[in-house]
Amino acid sequence: MNPSLPVIVIPAFNPDQRLLNVVADLQNHRELFEAIVIVNDGSESTEIFTAIPPAENLHVLSHDDNCGKGAALKTAFRWVRTHKQSAQGVVTADADGQHLPEDIVKVLQAFKQQPQALWLGSRNFKEKGIPFRSRLGNTFARYTFQLGLRIKVPDTQTGLRGIPNTLLDDLINTPSNHYEFELDMLILAKRQGLQFCSTEITTVYEQDNASSHFKPLQDSIIIYKNFLKFSGVGIASAGIDYGLFALIYGLTGEILVAIAAARLVSGVFNFTLNRQWVFGRGSSLTRDATKYTLLAVTLVGLNYVFTKGLLWVGVTPFIGKPLAEVIVFLLSYRFQKKLVFGNSTH
């Protein structure tokens, strides 16, 4: 085997015959990968795993309890970093039949040509018959990542991915253990400056995706928890900010003074909660506070420019400022995530 080839990783929780079929088909393309690592993530039965034909290039790892898809992937990544250090990276696939063997091969071939990029096997959500929950979830995630983080990919939730070796250590160290792990992967790849590439794959949904272990409400909250927490802090900060702005502007008639004073108070509140609760502590309070202050001053300036510009066209500041805040909010999330708390553990 060529040690520069990728390793296929398949996390599995209560899989069925389709896992055996995928493994058998992939073994017909051994020239494309170094090994197959399957992680039994606390399945109720081990019969399927013992039924997999043994092979020198096949390794089954196990969790005693169900720890989550992200945890299963990290277990496999640790194995790769220990036993296959020279591998190009990994190609991940699901065990529930949603990824056809020919599409896994397609991603393997694409990844081989450009192994320094993050490859996504992307489904076409414009096709007929896509379950509503899948279409809605992907659309929300796609636009959220595009607006807030400038990550533009056609399918943010696909489990069929080609992941460069250089990204594995960061993924192993991230605290995510469930479905949010795959979205955090996009953020980490963006932070590393990796290129995002995608290749279209067959969209497979059997019985309205009944085999999926994804729980729409519960898992969506987990996936978007940081953005939702940031939004909550932003709403509370905006309430403080707008209330003080209205009070000070009403008393003084000075837009810049009102914006600056209101932002100072709401900024301390915003910084404290974002650092402690949303993004997690950075490496240094002084460093984080300095960067946050510089960002806040910049955003105050932008807020002033937007508010003053709207006033110039006849929009009162009591209306113009909230409009300006929408733009500033999106910029704030992106820059806090990337520049201020970039070394956070979350």
Side-chain angles (χ1 to χ4, degrees), residues 86-100:
S86 60
Q88 283 182 328
V90 302
V91 169
T92 62
D94 292 346
D96 57 5
Q98 290 196 48
H99 301 143
L100 301 180

Side-chain angles (χ1 to χ4, degrees), residues 282-298:
S283 59
S284 164
L285 175 61
T286 302
R287 166 193 167 279
D288 290 347
T290 300
K291 286 189 175 183
Y292 183 89
T293 300
L294 291 174
L295 176 61
V297 170
T298 302

Side-chain angles (χ1 to χ4, degrees), residues 45-338:
S45 172
T46 61
E47 290 183 5
I48 287 293
F49 300 98
T50 56
I52 301 174
E56 184 180 352
N57 68 341
L58 179 66
H59 307 274
V60 178
L61 311 179
S62 297
H63 291 167
D64 292 334
D65 301 306
N66 178 234
C67 301
K69 186 178 184 181
L73 289 171
K74 288 193 290 185
T75 292
F77 295 168
R78 291 188 189 97
W79 186 94
V80 172
R81 296 298 289 135
T82 301
H83 299 281
K84 301 292 181 182
Q85 294 181 9
S86 60
Q88 283 182 328
V90 302
V91 169
T92 62
D94 292 346
D96 57 5
Q98 290 196 48
H99 301 143
L100 301 180
E102 54 264 37
D103 285 324
I104 299 173
V105 169
K106 187 177 181 180
V107 172
L108 281 166
Q109 292 171 330
F111 185 65
K112 182 179 179 181
Q113 299 301 316
Q114 196 170 353
Q116 297 307 315
L118 177 63
W119 280 91
L120 305 174
S122 301
R123 298 159 291 181
N124 184 356
F125 286 89
K126 294 181 181 179
E127 292 181 356
K128 294 182 179 180
I130 303 296
F132 175 74
R133 68 176 186 176
S134 298
R135 188 191 303 272
L136 179 63
N138 187 74
T139 299
F140 178 78
R142 188 170 70 249
Y143 283 109
T144 297
F145 272 64
Q146 185 173 341
L147 290 173
L149 300 172
R150 290 296 188 269
I151 296 175
K152 187 176 182 180
V153 293
D155 187 353
T156 61
Q157 297 170 312
T158 177
L160 180 51
R161 304 183 176 197
I163 306 169
N165 186 295
T166 55
L167 190 57
L168 294 184
D169 286 339
D170 281 350
L171 291 172
I172 290 170
N173 291 325
T174 188
S176 307
N177 283 325
H178 298 277
Y179 285 98
E180 79 276 16
F181 177 82
E182 290 176 319
L183 291 185
D184 285 348
M185 184 188 301
L186 301 181
I187 297 172
L188 290 172
K190 177 74 172 181
R191 191 176 297 172
Q192 278 198 14
L194 299 182
Q195 181 180 354
F196 292 87
C197 297
S198 65
T199 181
E200 187 169 323
I201 62 173
T202 306
T203 305
V204 180
Y205 288 106
E206 298 180 1
Q207 298 179 351
D208 197 33
N209 204 19
S211 65
S212 174
H213 301 291
F214 184 83
K215 305 176 184 64
L217 179 59
Q218 177 181 332
D219 290 326
S220 292
I221 291 174
I222 293 174
I223 287 172
Y224 302 114
K225 63 180 179 180
N226 274 359
F227 191 80
L228 292 172
K229 286 194 293 185
F230 180 84
S231 299
V233 172
I235 291 171
S237 300
I240 295 172
D241 186 76
Y242 184 77
L244 289 175
F245 169 81
L247 176 64
I248 297 171
Y249 178 71
L251 293 174
T252 66
E254 295 290 337
I255 291 178
L256 184 57
V257 172
I259 288 178
R263 183 53 53 88
L264 176 63
V265 176
S266 64
V268 172
F269 172 84
N270 186 274
F271 169 76
T272 302
L273 265 67
N274 279 340
R275 186 172 188 272
Q276 298 287 335
W277 186 48
V278 179
F279 299 111
R281 297 178 181 87
S283 59
S284 164
L285 175 61
T286 302
R287 166 193 167 279
D288 290 347
T290 300
K291 286 189 175 183
Y292 183 89
T293 300
L294 291 174
L295 176 61
V297 170
T298 302
L299 294 178
V300 166
L302 289 175
N303 197 319
Y304 172 71
V305 170
F306 293 146
T307 305
K308 194 74 173 179
L310 290 170
L311 178 62
W312 184 74
V313 296
V315 178
T316 173
F318 291 107
I319 296 176
K321 186 174 187 298
L323 294 177
E325 288 290 351
V326 173
I327 300 173
V328 171
F329 169 80
L330 294 175
L331 292 173
S332 179
Y333 181 79
R334 181 190 177 194
F335 289 128
Q336 284 189 51
K337 181 75 175 179
K338 183 176 181 179

